[in-house]
Amino acid sequence: MMESYSTVAGQFFGLVSLALCIWAFSSKQDDRLLMLLLSANVAFVLQFMFLESWTAAALSLLVIARIALARRYPGSKAAMAIILAASGAASVLTWQSWADLPAIVAMVLGTMGMFLLRGIPMRVSLGLAAVAWMLSHLLVGSVGGTLAEALVLFTNAITIYRLYRAKQRYPEFID
């Protein structure tokens, strides 16, 4: 019986993350995107914990730290290295099977994108990370998490297009 409560709780937090991710990636403002992603990742941590995917839970927790550091120290290769090292350590300590690999790939892609890129290139990198996270969600059976990543990809693609169009129209105002 406890297992079914855990599964329901995991699915619930996956759906919460879905709503937060859509809101985040519909934003043209990098700061708003990053703040909403903080909230979504709290829900992802809880989802992965309830679904007993410990590597994904640990890495999702580190995503929260990564977002905070990327906002405070944009472009910092030292902060990026610290997050990547912590991610490597967390992955080694929580590794259960090859099903943990997509979360690791997602963490690396997202970390590099957030520290080294801005605007459209950052969103492309985060889109690739979303593909890896989607696979991670599929492997643990999270409906909400899988839908969150699929809709993140869709919404992110639309936002990339909107930013591209705005840059074409107003190149002097948009990075």
Side-chain angles (χ1 to χ4, degrees):
M1 185 63 110
M2 186 61 170
E3 183 178 311
S4 65
Y5 289 128
S6 185
T7 301
V8 169
Q11 297 298 342
F12 170 77
F13 286 111
L15 293 171
V16 168
S17 65
L18 168 62
L20 291 167
C21 284
I22 296 307
W23 190 12
F25 279 98
S26 66
S27 174
K28 289 184 189 178
Q29 299 172 356
D30 288 352
D31 278 342
R32 180 178 289 159
L33 165 74
L34 296 176
M35 286 305 297
L36 289 166
L37 285 178
L38 284 171
S39 301
N41 276 284
V42 170
F44 280 138
V45 169
L46 293 169
Q47 171 209 267
F48 282 125
M49 287 175 66
F50 280 112
L51 297 176
E52 298 181 10
S53 180
W54 304 113
T55 299
L59 294 178
S60 293
L61 187 61
L62 285 169
V63 165
I64 296 166
R66 174 186 77 193
I67 293 168
L69 286 173
R71 287 187 75 231
R72 183 161 172 96
Y73 306 105
S76 171
K77 291 180 181 168
M80 180 181 73
I82 290 167
I83 291 295
L84 289 173
S87 299
S91 298
V92 168
L93 293 172
T94 59
W95 179 270
Q96 293 172 303
S97 73
W98 288 104
D100 294 331
L101 189 58
I104 296 167
V105 170
M107 184 63 175
V108 170
L109 288 171
T111 299
M112 292 175 66
M114 279 196 177
F115 280 101
L116 301 178
L117 307 171
R118 289 287 170 257
I120 292 172
M122 178 179 70
R123 284 171 173 78
V124 169
S125 177
L126 294 177
L128 294 171
V131 171
W133 277 119
M134 186 182 336
L135 183 55
S136 186
H137 290 288
L138 281 168
L139 291 171
V140 299
S142 170
V143 174
T146 301
L147 288 174
E149 299 301 344
L151 290 173
V152 161
L153 284 170
F154 180 74
T155 307
N156 197 26
I158 291 169
T159 304
I160 289 169
Y161 175 75
R162 289 170 52 207
L163 287 168
Y164 174 78
R165 292 284 310 245
K167 189 173 186 173
Q168 297 290 62
R169 288 186 185 149
Y170 310 105
E172 64 276 4
F173 294 111
I174 301 196
D175 292 340

